[in-house]
Amino acid sequence: MRKTLLASLALVLVSSTAFAQNATGTASDNKIKIGILNDQSGVYADFGGKSSVEAAKMAIEEFGGKVLGMPIEIVDADHQNKPDIASNIARQWYDTEQVDAIMELTTSSVALAVQAVAKEKKKIDIVTGAATTDLTGKACSPYGFHWAYDTHALAVGTGGALVKQGGDSWFFLTADYAFGYSLEQQTGDFVKANGGTIAGSVRHPLSSTDFSSFLLQAQSSGAKVIGLANAGLDTSNAIKQAAEFGIVQGGQRLAALLFTLAEVHGLGLEAAQGLTLTEGYYWNRDDQSREFAKKFFERTNKMPNMIHTGTYSAVRQYLKAVEKAGTDETEAVAKAIHEMPVDDVFAQGGTVAKNGRMIHDMYLLQVKKPDESKEAWDYFDVLDTIPGKEAYMDPAKSGCDLVN
């Protein structure tokens, strides 16, 4: 009788556990763990960095620190803009630290390397900091997503605006890695498709401090527009040194093809005024964006750019997908991310295409003159809204084998 009672009790416990799992969902290790992997000490530290970690924490706190009744954990690391370091961290996180998804991934070479690891391990990655369209093209993954922006959107936005304004001859000053190549190619293609010409290009190493020889080549080309196909401190340093050479005063225009609020703040309005750029978010655009920015500022002492807010959005959407799927199992979560619309402070009516590209509106911005700025961080005029379907490449033409 005692054995029978023990067996019955065991059956009740098993049944109760199963009921609880069905009621709250399941996770492979009784927790949801997210990794933020980005540049925290180098040329892109202000571009994303620790502020992206804070944005991720904001999304987690909105969920009360739990999803499916299980705690949400976050880890972060500095990949130093080195693909081998990033890959090693990703493998360790996925293999031994029970990380379910890795996000942010500033630097295209890093993002491509980590997405390859995630695909091999059948784990989720959501890129907000890198730009290359290869992430949703030839290197696409059923578990990989590209969130905040990409080189095609930047080319359509900034490149398109300057061509319309008469900037029909270009010379590119390009960062010598995957992101720079992609941005130069796609902007160049867009310029030529609209009747413009490319006078030439020159490539510089990541984290350059001396742009003098590159700028002299650009100046001597006679091109109307010098396209800066770089980002972060590289762009800021190039703009500062261009002023020393009197390039703008000489009649040429600078196109900062990837420039965000963080870099404008670091450079200052005096040096940055008049620059045209494209972002996926601007804190002072409407009441919703201002409300989020105020909360972000209280934590970081800065206003967010599209990388920070995009990371918040990516983490939030991942957690919503886990909630919808009722599990953290990769296939189920990836399916939910593809199916769910994106409606938050970053994107309104965003959709996720078959190749993992999140399609949302982008904003064409111009940096104000110092006397036009009404308050701290009030740096941009919104010139135009670029609909997502215009900003992003047609998934069928992306080269991703998941689409067709």
Side-chain angles (χ1 to χ4, degrees):
M1 184 176 290
R2 183 182 178 190
K3 289 181 179 179
T4 302
L5 286 172
L6 288 172
S8 298
L9 179 60
L11 182 61
V12 169
L13 289 172
V14 170
S15 299
S16 298
T17 301
F19 177 80
Q21 288 178 332
N22 287 334
T24 62
T26 60
S28 55
D29 46 18
N30 297 315
K31 64 176 178 292
I32 306 297
K33 197 168 184 179
I34 297 169
I36 304 297
L37 184 56
N38 61 5
D39 177 9
Q40 299 181 4
S41 58
V43 66
Y44 301 138
D46 288 335
F47 183 74
K50 282 289 188 180
S51 296
S52 289
V53 179
E54 287 301 313
K57 290 178 179 178
M58 289 174 69
I60 290 169
E61 288 166 13
E62 280 192 12
F63 272 75
K66 289 185 177 183
V67 65
L68 304 180
M70 286 165 286
I72 306 165
E73 296 182 15
I74 187 169
V75 292
D76 68 271
D78 183 353
H79 58 48
Q80 301 173 49
N81 294 310
K82 296 178 179 178
D84 56 340
I85 290 176
S87 297
N88 288 336
I89 293 170
R91 289 185 185 279
Q92 180 180 336
W93 279 0
Y94 285 142
D95 289 344
T96 65
E97 297 189 26
Q98 294 81 48
V99 169
D100 298 295
I102 297 177
M103 303 186 198
E104 220 269 41
L105 297 169
T106 319
T107 313
S108 291
S109 53
V110 163
L112 288 166
V114 172
Q115 181 153 292
V117 173
K119 185 176 182 179
E120 173 195 334
K121 301 292 182 182
K122 294 188 176 181
K123 294 286 188 177
I124 299 286
D125 74 276
I126 306 180
V127 178
T128 58
T132 178
T133 53
D134 283 351
L135 288 160
T136 51
K138 62 184 181 182
C140 69
S141 163
Y143 320 116
F145 300 89
H146 202 177
W147 216 251
Y149 72 107
D150 64 22
T151 51
H152 189 274
L154 300 177
V156 171
T158 309
L162 291 177
V163 171
K164 289 177 183 177
Q165 293 171 15
D168 56 4
S169 62
W170 286 60
F171 185 97
F172 289 96
L173 199 157
T174 303
D176 193 11
Y177 74 103
F179 150 69
Y181 311 152
S182 181
L183 187 51
E184 177 188 329
Q185 178 192 333
Q186 297 203 14
T187 306
D189 288 348
F190 193 85
V191 170
K192 288 183 285 187
N194 286 272
T197 59
I198 308 302
S201 66
V202 62
R203 293 176 176 176
H204 68 83
L206 183 66
S207 303
S208 293
T209 55
D210 184 3
F211 286 88
S212 55
S213 65
F214 309 124
L215 288 166
L216 285 171
Q217 290 181 62
Q219 190 175 39
S220 64
S221 73
K224 293 180 182 178
V225 179
I226 299 172
L228 302 176
N230 49 20
L233 287 176
D234 281 341
T235 306
S236 297
N237 287 334
I239 292 171
K240 288 177 185 176
Q241 291 173 39
E244 295 170 8
F245 284 99
I247 286 177
V248 174
Q249 293 89 329
Q252 291 174 297
R253 298 188 67 172
L254 294 177
L257 295 172
L258 177 50
F259 208 52
T260 75
L261 186 79
E263 290 76 55
V264 172
H265 182 72
L267 191 60
L269 286 182
E270 189 65 40
Q273 60 182 304
L275 282 172
T276 302
L277 56 109
T278 304
E279 282 212 59
Y281 165 88
Y282 177 42
W283 76 269
N284 206 14
R285 190 174 62 86
D286 57 28
D287 289 342
Q288 184 184 18
S289 58
R290 282 187 283 272
E291 181 181 357
F292 174 83
K294 181 181 178 181
K295 294 176 183 177
F296 183 87
F297 186 87
E298 290 170 355
R299 304 172 72 117
T300 64
N301 202 35
K302 65 174 68 171
M303 289 300 185
N305 64 12
M306 66 177 170
I307 313 305
H308 307 136
T309 314
T311 301
Y312 159 85
S313 174
V315 172
R316 182 179 183 271
Q317 197 74 358
Y318 172 77
L319 294 174
K320 287 181 66 178
V322 170
E323 190 173 58
K324 178 181 178 181
T327 177
D328 66 350
E329 192 274 322
T330 298
E331 299 279 359
V333 174
K335 183 175 183 291
I337 293 175
H338 276 285
E339 292 174 347
M340 296 165 56
V342 183
D343 283 297
D344 55 29
V345 68
F346 180 74
Q348 295 80 50
T351 58
V352 179
K354 290 181 180 180
N355 62 348
R357 174 68 258 172
M358 199 272 276
I359 297 172
H360 60 93
D361 293 347
M362 298 288 289
Y363 303 100
L364 182 66
L365 308 168
Q366 186 167 50
V367 181
K368 293 182 175 183
K369 297 176 181 178
D371 60 1
E372 294 173 339
S373 179
K374 298 177 182 178
E375 59 181 308
W377 297 91
D378 175 33
Y379 295 158
F380 297 146
D381 285 319
V382 180
L383 300 181
D384 197 9
T385 298
I386 307 164
K389 289 185 178 180
E390 294 180 17
Y392 293 102
M393 187 183 299
D394 180 351
K397 299 178 181 178
S398 67
C400 173
D401 58 11
L402 301 172
V403 178
N404 298 315

